[in-house]
Amino acid sequence: MSYILNIETATKNCSVSLALEGSTVICKEIADIGYSHAERLHVFISEIITESGILFSDLKAIAVSSGPGSYTGLRIGVSAVKGLCFALNIPMISIDTLSSLANQVCEVDGLIIPMIDARRMEVYSAIFDANKKIIRNVQAEVLTENSFESIIEKIYFVGDSSDKAKTVLNRSNFIFLEQIIYPSSQNMSLLSYQKFNNNEFVDVAYFEPYYLKDFMFAK
């Protein structure tokens, strides 16, 4: 049996799930405005292993959300996964954060644009078709009233940037799915299982999150 642990810490949501053959068995998560990842992540991991009745040695791989997103959140998640994979001698899987966010969307008749807040009017975004296939790679972009104006299909926006996006994105084909705010480890389960079956692993020693922008210290 292929048990895979999935870890998502790229945004305010600290999320851990256990999946079996691509289906989520158990998930623990909290979206804390104070970013409690450092305090909660290892607690969630321990609780999930205990409550599921398996051992760490039963894990076949561990997947981590690779960004873009919060610099600190990504560092915490990736560091934890590296340590576990090294200790357990199991492979590490990288899942694009915007892909897992897009996978929360049910059937739509248009395009999906997941967005992660990057402060002010900037967001990290990508464009997916209705089948969740990426058709425009991740970009950091400043939202204006002209953003995505060349797209005539319906666009379904998801993520934690909806409130600010709606102040400038108000065309008739723009639809905001406000119930989907943060990426979740639950939506990594199928993606990580597919990568596991295809032997799509990353190097535990050298893997780095996809920050997209350099970290800037507050002045």
Side-chain angles (χ1 to χ4, degrees), residues 167-187:
T167 65
V168 292
L169 302 181
N170 50 28
R171 295 176 182 273
S172 60
N173 60 320
F174 293 170
I175 302 168
F176 290 88
L177 302 179
E178 298 183 20
Q179 73 275 23
I180 301 173
I181 302 175
Y182 301 115
S184 170
S185 62
Q186 297 187 67
N187 300 99

Side-chain angles (χ1 to χ4, degrees), residues 148-162:
F148 314 114
E149 65 177 353
S150 63
I151 300 176
I152 61 174
E153 298 100 319
K154 287 183 181 177
I155 300 177
Y156 294 83
F157 294 98
V158 298
D160 61 356
S161 303
S162 292

Side-chain angles (χ1 to χ4, degrees), residues 3 5 43 67 69 72 75 77 85 91 94 100 124 127 129 144 150 153 173 184 189 193 211-213 215 219:
Y3 282 107
L5 193 68
V43 174
T72 302
R75 294 296 293 179
C85 287
S94 166
S100 63
Y124 303 130
I127 302 178
D129 65 18
T144 72
S150 63
E153 298 100 319
N173 60 320
S184 170
S189 296
Y193 184 59
Y211 297 119
L212 199 58
K213 295 197 305 181
F215 176 69
K219 296 182 179 181

Side-chain angles (χ1 to χ4, degrees), residues 38-56:
E39 295 80 17
R40 301 303 304 170
L41 180 58
H42 288 283
V43 174
F44 285 165
I45 293 171
S46 179
E47 289 177 347
I48 279 180
I49 295 298
T50 299
E51 292 176 20
S52 63
I54 70 168
L55 303 173
F56 277 101

Side-chain angles (χ1 to χ4, degrees), residues 57-117:
S57 58
D58 292 321
L59 295 175
K60 299 300 182 184
I62 304 178
V64 66
S65 180
S66 60
S70 159
Y71 183 95
T72 302
L74 289 169
R75 294 296 293 179
I76 291 171
V78 169
S79 296
V81 172
K82 283 189 173 187
L84 287 169
C85 287
F86 181 80
L88 297 171
N89 193 29
I90 57 176
M92 178 177 176
I93 298 170
S94 166
I95 301 295
D96 173 71
T97 305
L98 291 172
S99 292
S100 63
L101 185 54
N103 268 267
Q104 293 192 50
V105 181
C106 298
E107 292 185 12
V108 294
D109 54 345
L111 303 178
I112 303 166
I113 299 185
M115 297 189 298
I116 293 175
D117 189 20

